[in-house]
Amino acid sequence: MKKVLILTAIAMTMISCGTVKQAAVQAQTKSAAPFGEVYSMPCEVYDTPEEFAATGIYRGSSYQKGECQLNALENAKQLVYAKYHHSYNGMISNYSSSFGSNRGNDIRTKLQRAGDAVIEAMLNDIQACCVKFSGVQDDGMIECYVAIKVPKQALAAEVAKTVSDVLSPEEKEEINFEEYQYRKLMEQRFNEYKEEKAE
């Protein structure tokens, strides 16, 4: 009888230990997410072949919601400008490699200034496509999220037109400038920016 009780106790202990280990492994597997706890950003937007997109974020006083929104919008504009600037500068570098010299540098400067003027004007007139606020935090602060989108084709067309207006006939001839081709080249470069970022 003692042997039966001892064997039963040993069996119960082994089963109990196995169950505890299994429960611990299951709990660890469930709670150990490979990336930890993650969240989606409010007003999340992404670049597409048709648009540059960005979400601006700003943290400020809950009593200054308007100021928070303006600063978040400015942040979004800066992000879109950086994307545009990277794409357009790359295109100008490729485009201008065929017409070096000091005269070429003057033309390159005109191309850059014309493009910058267009994107700045577009961003000044941009409307938010999404605005969200966080709840008020313990310190009285809130976060504001503002998303914007800028159409790439409209941007390329306006830049090409502006460049055409600022270049003299002699400069256009010197670099074989054609507004339509320039716009197409820009659209292609903008699309490549999306593909580069997607990799």
Side-chain angles (χ1 to χ4, degrees):
M1 181 77 156
K2 282 185 177 180
K3 282 185 177 179
V4 172
L5 284 174
I6 292 172
L7 287 174
T8 305
I10 291 172
M12 294 295 280
T13 303
M14 291 177 74
I15 290 171
S16 173
C17 287
T19 306
V20 170
K21 278 185 180 177
Q22 187 177 8
V25 168
Q26 285 177 344
Q28 186 178 19
T29 304
K30 285 181 184 175
S31 67
F35 299 107
E37 199 168 359
V38 295
Y39 303 93
S40 292
M41 179 171 49
C43 291
E44 197 168 38
V45 291
Y46 298 98
D47 292 335
T48 67
E50 295 80 30
E51 296 173 316
F52 286 119
T55 301
I57 306 169
Y58 187 80
R59 184 174 188 271
S61 169
S62 60
Y63 297 109
Q64 297 291 325
K65 293 177 192 70
E67 191 70 24
C68 289
Q69 185 174 341
L70 284 173
N71 285 318
L73 177 61
E74 281 305 312
N75 180 234
K77 288 178 181 182
Q78 289 169 2
L79 294 170
V80 167
Y81 181 82
K83 294 175 186 186
Y84 157 81
H85 203 260
H86 175 76
S87 297
Y88 189 59
N89 276 350
M91 192 212 76
I92 290 176
S93 291
N94 291 344
Y95 189 78
S96 65
S97 63
S98 61
F99 58 85
S101 78
N102 286 338
R103 180 88 170 132
N105 289 338
D106 294 342
I107 294 172
R108 182 183 171 136
T109 300
K110 282 188 174 184
L111 299 178
Q112 184 66 56
R113 286 183 182 159
D116 286 353
V118 170
I119 187 65
E120 287 168 12
M122 279 188 116
L123 289 174
N124 281 340
D125 293 337
I126 202 78
Q127 298 295 315
C129 61
C130 176
V131 177
K132 290 192 178 180
F133 291 90
S134 71
V136 179
Q137 297 162 3
D138 292 340
D139 59 359
M141 304 295 264
I142 57 170
E143 287 184 351
C144 180
Y145 306 86
V146 176
I148 61 172
K149 296 178 180 180
V150 176
K152 292 177 179 179
Q153 271 192 326
L155 177 58
E158 190 60 34
V159 170
K161 181 183 177 308
T162 303
V163 166
S164 181
D165 291 345
V166 299
L167 292 179
S168 69
E170 296 79 25
E171 289 170 329
K172 289 179 190 176
E173 186 177 330
E174 185 177 337
I175 63 171
N176 290 330
F177 177 83
E178 292 179 24
E179 184 177 333
Y180 176 79
Q181 291 300 328
Y182 193 77
R183 179 169 55 91
K184 287 296 173 192
L185 190 62
M186 214 178 323
E187 288 173 7
Q188 178 185 349
R189 184 67 186 185
F190 290 167
N191 288 341
E192 286 170 1
Y193 179 84
K194 169 60 181 163
E195 290 165 12
E196 286 169 10
K197 291 296 180 185
E199 292 173 356

